[in-house]
Each structure stands twice: as C-alpha cells, then as structure tokens.
Amino acid sequence: MQDILDKLMLTLWSVWRFRWTALVVAWLVAVVGWTGVAMLEYRYTASARIFVDTNRVLAPLLRDITVQPDVKGRVALISRALLTRPNLEELVRMTDLDHDIDTQRGLELLLIELKSRLSLKSGRRDDSIYTVRYEHSDPTTAKRVVQSLITIFIENNLGDEREDSQSAETFLDDQIVAYEGRLVEAESRLSDFRRNNVGATPNQAGDYYQRLDNASSRVRTAGLELKEATNRRDELVRQLEQERSAESNVATGSAQQSRILGLQDELDGLLTRYTERHPQVSQLREMISDLRNTDTSGAGQSGELSGQERLQNSVVYQNLRTLVSEASARVAELTARVEDYEQEVAELRLTVDSIPLVEAELLQLDRDYETLRTQHALLLERRESAQLSKRMGQDVDDVKFRIIDPPFVPSKPTSPNKLLLNAAVMAAGLGAGTGLALLLSLIRPVYYGQRSLALATGVPVYGSVSLYRGSVQRFKGLFANVTFLSFSGLLTGMFAVIMVFQLYGLTLEQLSAREELAPLISLRDADLVQRILSSELGVKIVNTIQGDSS
Amino acid sequence: MSSIEKAVNSLDNRFDRPNAELSSLPAPRLVSTDPVVAEPARGELAAAPLAEVNAVGEDDSAHSESAPERPAPLILPVEAFRKAGIICPDEPKSLIAEEYRSVKRPMLNYIGRQESDEERSANVIMVSSCISGEGKTFSAINLALSMAMERSQQVLLVDGDIAKASAGETFGLTHDTRGLLDLLQETSPDIESALIQTDLPNLCLLPAGQPSDHGAELLASEAMATLVQHLSERHADQVVIIDSPPLLMTNEANVIAELVGQVLFVVAAESTSHDMVKDALARLTGSPNVGLVLNKVRKNAGRGNGYGYGYGYQNDKRRPASRSRS
C-alpha cells in the first residue's frame, strides 16, 4: 500500500514538474475545441408517424415471389419502395430544396444527401407503423420536407391504385367479348354438325351398337315368324292338295267319304295346334259327324256333282283355301318385313365406320362448347367481383397510408449537444495536458528520493540534502505558482462562462425555433387541429361540422 | 606542525568547552601582530573587504612575530553562509549540519579503513555532479565545514572548478587570488603560501587561482598529481576536498577523478535525469569509491531521511549552557 501511495505521489509530482506545458496544451485544446463547437450548426429533426399497409404496398413487388421475406426484409423493401428516385425528385421540387442548385451534379449530391438524412424506420415487431424523420439545420425546412414526403406517398398511391383497377377491368372486358365470340362460333358449329349428321346421331334407343343389336334381333324374330308362317302355309297348301286329290280319287259315293276324310285330316291338323275346345275343332267335328250322318243317309244321292263342284261345295275345302290365302299373305308380309329388317342391318353394317367417328366428333364439339361456356361464366364472375371491389374501394377511404402523428419539429435541436461537447472539450484539454505532462515525465525521469536513486544506480547514497531557498527564491516560486493557478483558474472560469452561455443560447434557440414553427401548423387533418387547439391553447372542441374537402 | 600551532592547541584544551566538536568563532589562532586585523567585525558580508585581509595577510607574512609567515586567517562569512543555506559553525544542530553529518560519516570511515599501500589516497575527495547548478560547490563547502568540525581532521578545500571558481567566491575571495592554477604553472611552487587558513582552525582553502586558457591541460599535468599528493600528505589527518567542474560538461573532472580516492557525486533531485546520472557514473568507473548525495530534496517530495532532525535538542532539557550565538 505504501508503495502504491509512493508511486501515486511520484506521479503527481512528475505531472507537477511539467505543469506549464500541461497548462498550455490544455488552453490550446480548449480554445480550439470551443471555437469548433461554437461553429457547429444546430440540427433539427422533424418526425411524423404513418401507418403503412405493408402488404398492399408490397403486393405488386412480391406478386410472383413465393417466399415472403420476414418483417425486417419487408421494412427494407418498404424503405426502398417509398424512397425511390422519382419520389425524391418530386420532394425536392415540392420543397424548393434545389433553389440554389443549377448543375446536375449538384442535384445528384442533393438527392444523395436527402436520402441519407431521411429515415424511414418501423417498430421492431410491427411493420405497419413507420416513423419518417428528416434532419436539417432549419426546422421549418425539415418539417416541410416530411410533410411533402407524406403527401407524395398518399397521392402517388391513390393514383396508382386507380390505374391498376382500371386496366384490370378493361382486360376483363376484352376477354369476355372474345370468349363470347368463340362461344357463338362453337354453337353454330355444333348445330351444323348435328344437322349434317342427322341419321347418325344417337337417338333415344341408344348408340350405334345398340341399334345394330336391336336390328339384328328384329331380323331374327321376323325370320322366325316368317319361317312359322311359311310352314303354316305349306302345311295348309298340302292339306288343300290332299283334299283335292282326295276328292278327285274317291268315287261319288265316296265323295262324302273323302270329304269326311278331308275333314278328318283337317281336324287332325287343328288338333295339333288347338285343343278340343277350340271352336274350329268343334265345328269340324260337327261337320264330320254331320257328314257321317248324311253319308249314311244320303249316300248316292248327289253323286252327279263334279269334283270341282264338290270341292266348291266342300266347306272344308273352302276354309282351307281361305286359310291358305291368309297364310300366304302373312308369309308375304313377313318376308317383306324380314327383308326390310335385313336391309336395315346391312345399312347399319355399312355405316359401321362412320357412325363412331361422328359420335366422337360430336362429343368433342360438345366438350369444346362446354369449356367455352364455363370460361365465359368465370370471366363474367371475375369482372363482377372486380367491379364490386372497385366500388368498395371508392366507398371506403384508401387505407394504404394514414397519418398517425403529423410532422412535428421539437423546438429543441436534436444535435449537436453543444453542452456536452463543450464539457468534453474541456475534459479533453485537461486530459491532453495531463497526458502530455505524464509522457514528458516518463521520457525524462528524475529522482525524487534517496531510495530510488540508490536502487537505480546501485551506488551507495550517503544522504539527501534538503532544498534551501532564500526568501527571494521562495517568493519567486510562490509567484510562479500563483501565476499558474490563476491561469488554470482562468481556464476553468472560461469553461463555466461558456457553459452558461451555451445554456442561455440554447434557450434562445428554442424560442426562436418555436416562433418560426408556429404559423406552419397545417390544417389538413382535423384531428391534428383538435389536438393542437386543446393542448396548446386549451380550447375545447364543442362541435365539428363536416364539410366537403374542396 | 609548527610550535605556534601547538601552543594554540594546548590553549584550546585548557578552555575545555562542553561542545567539543565545534570551535566557535572567533578562534584565537591568529598570529598576526596587528590586533585590528586579528579581530575583524562580525556579521560582514562576504565581499570585497576580505581581499584586503588577504593583502594584509600577505603583507603580514613578511613581518609575523614569532612564527613562519602566516597570513591572517580568513573570516568565514557566516551571514552569507546562513543566507545561502550553508552550514554555519555557530548552529551545529541545524538541518543542514545534521544532513552533512550523515554524509561525511561513511567517507571518513572509508578513510579510516583505507589500506596504506593503495595507489590513490582515500583522503582526497572529489565533489562533482553531472551538470552545473546541481550544488557541487554548495556540497563541497558544506562537506568541508562539516568535516572541519571533527575533532582531529584537517580539511583543505581546493577550488578545482577553475572556470567558475565559485567556492572561493562564496568565501569572499577574488578571482585573482593566487591559487591552484598558479601553483601548477610555477616550476617550484610554494604551496603553503597559497593555502588560506580560515578562522576555523581545521579548515584551509586553496582557491582556483588566476584564470588561464590552459586550465584543463594544467590539471592533467604531472604537476597536478604531485600537488595532490603533497596536499594529501600535509598532515596526518588531512582531508583534501576538491570541488571539481561538472563531469558531463568538461573533461577536467575526468582528469581529477583519476587522482582522487573518493568521489562524492551530487545529484539534484527533480532536476537531473536518470540517463545523465547513469552516464556520469559510467565515466567514474575507474574511481574506487563513489558515493551519491541527493541534493535539493523537497521535504514532501521524496522522503530523504524523513524521520526528522534535532532529536532531543528541541526541548531544552540538556542544552549546553552559555551557548553564544550570533
């Protein structure tokens, strides 16, 4: 501990040795520093808070990007999207910042400077509320710039949005018209086709193969029927022949016999088909029984009748002949029918190639038409929804940008903090002085005590002799010290004066800034007006009258 | 020793003062016949009038009564000493006196210990420093005065700083007083005549002498070695203190350093840098015994002795009776 104290004392004495150098350096640094600080310009920062609908602003940019950037990325994008060169140029124009710049290069520099002094920052978690800040040495200019920037945002975006929706609508209309044309075309094509391929188009019975099946079965059925009818006719013809032959072969006496035989045969034939209860069967039996009865009774009475007469008189024969003609007619009918059906089948078979093709084409036309119709319907729907959204957008206020806090410039300048800087200059001066003194003492060290001398040289020290000063010398020493202290005091005094002056000057600056700002409060926003009136002037708003904005 | 001196010494013993160390002024050692000259006024400043004393002394040497030619002893300019902070013989307990007591002790011990067949005599002490203004002359004079207060030391203070001759000046001698350089230039010098006896019986002076352009060469000559040798052997308990020029600024100091047996190196506190001391000491590596003394120490800066002086003598318990001060 003692060593530490000794070292401390030693250091202090070393600095004291070079006190004049330290003082001079401190003075130099302080004076230069204070002059520099005094020449610094005050800067004011105007700030406003706005609400930005980030999604809508970024939508055109991010339309085709599948991965959405995170909040920070979006904030950066917003900044770049809003602080574009056209916007900045318009800003410069609006605020007359370029009133003394002629060259292109000057304008470029101004724009760069503007961009660097403007800041658009968002809250950390929330990317919807942004703070616009601008720094300038003139508070009114700063405020004007921020106000103009916000105006530019709002105006630009209203315009953009309207344009967008307009173009979308036009596009939709064009598309719809085109589709309608195509639809009409398709319809006409379809109807033409249908017209041209009447027979081949599928009817209610079914498609081609079904039709072929039906026709074939009809042919088969009709063929069967024809066969039956043919058989019947043949059978009847045979019976007729048989009867005839029987009549011609048998004698007169046996004419009746042969007639009975004929009837018997006919009965047999009938019986193959009908039962006993059939009227024809019963009739024939009666006839047969009658004949037999008459045969016995009237045998040989009318034998002079000719065979033909007999035939003609023979009921059986006549019936048979009727039946035969009926059967023939039926056969002919059925034959015709079969032929007809067969022709139909043949025709169908002929068109076996073309009908499916037609059917396929018809299907395609149908499909095309269907597609067109669906698309058309979709477009119509879309146009409707676009119109609806546009109407909605017009009715509701555009919420892409909204001012939360209007531009405000505090009357106290944001930078530089001259008070702090002045104090820092003083500290720097003192530090530099002391540092230099220390450095010098380290470069040229001397001995203060016997012990260090002995240690350093290794030579025995016989003793140390105190400093003796005569009165003159003592006075001189005192005088020097007093001078030194007075100069140091002077420096401190200057520092105090400068600080006080700075405070006073700051107050002055605030007052003048406030006076400058007073008439510039814009009356665009009713909320703002309300707020100002109530806070600054203590006026309470009793009633607000809504008027139009013109 | 001459008979007269022996008689004076016995006179001293008869008085038998309790403060044996210090012989107060005026010491009745004068052998001059002129009573006026014998008792010069007190409190005079060290200035020109002493030249007259010397002249008178010189003249008197021609007609001293019963002794070989002996000039009037030089009165120490005590007031001047007091103003300059030099030891005043009538203040034996002052701070400066105490400090130099501790400084001289090891040197005297070394003299006592010294082998007889050494080449250089330990009783020849050189007082030097790095640069001028550090207090060589101050230290030399103080050392001389301090040693002169010893009981049996004969001290001869030689002003070897031939450029400035400040030691002689402090004693009040003019620059043209015959001294060292003159002795060196003479072929067969009369050494004793050049020595100046002060009113302290143990203390003699040899001033620098008439300034010469070849001072350095003279100091380096064989004659100087012979002279130093002679001076060191003058008495049994002789101590020769040579106040030399600064070591780093001249070459003469190196030369003198070759001839002496002890060196007292003066370092000024808060003034001499470490490097200078190192350089100077490096030049003295040939000398056998080097000792340092730290001069101009502020009481509060370094801690010197730090434990105070004047032990026991401030409360008047055992103060010697009838101390005459002036």
Side-chain angles (χ1 to χ4, degrees), chain A residues 445 447 451 460 462 465-467, chain B residues 99 270 274 292 294 297 302-303:
Chain A
Y447 294 107
R451 208 182 296 142
Y462 294 153
V465 178
S466 306
L467 176 68
Chain B
E99 285 169 349
E270 297 179 33
H274 293 205
L292 300 172
L294 191 64
V297 176
R303 268 199 315 154

Side-chain angles (χ1 to χ4, degrees), chain A residues 2 6 9-10 13 16-17 19 443-451 453-454 456-457 459-470, chain B residues 82-85 95-96 99-100 102 106-107 264 269-274 277 281 289-297 302-305:
Chain A
Q2 190 61 50
D6 281 344
M9 287 302 294
L10 213 66
W13 276 109
W16 180 251
R17 219 172 105 216
R19 59 194 179 279
I443 289 173
R444 229 187 126 261
V446 293
Y447 294 107
Y448 291 92
Q450 171 181 340
R451 208 182 296 142
L453 178 63
T457 57
V459 176
V461 177
Y462 294 153
S464 60
V465 178
S466 306
L467 176 68
Y468 177 84
R469 283 190 296 181
Chain B
R82 210 194 310 275
K83 282 213 179 85
L95 179 62
I96 188 82
E99 285 169 349
Y100 271 95
S102 68
M107 304 185 95
L264 181 68
E270 297 179 33
S271 171
T272 321
S273 72
H274 293 205
V277 172
L281 288 176
N289 197 28
V290 180
L292 300 172
V293 64
L294 191 64
N295 199 14
K296 300 191 192 173
V297 176
R303 268 199 315 154
N305 192 342

Side-chain angles (χ1 to χ4, degrees), chain A residues 161-200:
Chain A
E161 172 119 300
R162 235 181 262 130
E163 257 176 48
D164 274 349
S165 68
Q166 196 58 46
S167 66
E169 233 184 277
T170 320
F171 171 74
L172 279 174
D173 284 341
D174 290 342
Q175 286 295 307
I176 286 169
V177 163
Y179 266 94
E180 271 175 2
R182 284 167 69 183
L183 208 61
V184 161
E185 207 182 291
E187 268 177 7
S188 69
R189 253 211 315 269
L190 197 62
S191 59
D192 282 346
F193 185 79
R194 278 229 169 99
R195 217 164 357 113
N196 293 339
N197 298 283
V198 158

Side-chain angles (χ1 to χ4, degrees), chain A residues 50 62 66 69 110 146 177 195 219 273 285 371 466 488 549:
Chain A
I50 54 175
L62 299 176
T66 49
L110 178 67
V146 174
V177 163
R195 217 164 357 113
V219 163
R273 273 211 308 260
R285 279 196 193 277
T371 312
S466 306
S488 316
S549 51

